[in-house]
């Protein structure tokens, strides 16, 4: 397997970086020791900084958060 970037860790930062790279045509692979189910079902970020939230909104990744946050 060949890739341009290897990302260590499938937490919020690693997955966001992988998404940004993919949108820009850069091949990457995320290496995570836990199972896919574990990563997707577990909260791994206690706090998201304002800049991270703005980035996710800009990329269209925050729609689910916004929908759940509004009454």
């Amino acid at each position: 397997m060949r890739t341009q970037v290897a990302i260590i860790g499938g937490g919020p930062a690693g997955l966001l970086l992988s998404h940004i790279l993919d949108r820009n045509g850069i091949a990457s692979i995320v290496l995570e020791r836990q199972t896919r189910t574990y990563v997707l079902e577990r909260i791994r970020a206690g706090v998201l900084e304002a800049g991270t939230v703005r980035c996710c909104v800009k990329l269209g990744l925050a729609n689910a958060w916004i929908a759940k946050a509004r009454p």
Side-chain angles (χ1 to χ4, degrees):
M1 173 183 288
R2 287 186 58 83
T3 188
Q4 292 174 277
V5 178
I7 300 167
I8 308 300
L15 294 177
L16 180 58
L17 176 58
S18 177
H19 185 82
I20 292 168
L21 291 172
D22 182 63
R23 283 200 170 186
N24 288 282
I26 300 170
S28 69
I29 186 169
V30 177
L31 303 174
E32 171 61 51
R33 68 178 170 197
Q34 303 294 339
T35 66
R36 179 182 179 92
T37 301
Y38 178 89
V39 170
L40 295 177
E41 292 181 354
R42 184 173 164 96
I43 297 171
R44 295 180 70 177
V47 174
L48 292 176
E49 299 292 336
T52 303
V53 173
R54 282 192 298 273
C55 181
C56 289
V57 168
K58 183 178 177 181
L59 293 169
L61 300 175
N63 298 334
W65 305 340
I66 293 167
K68 287 182 179 181
R70 294 194 176 147

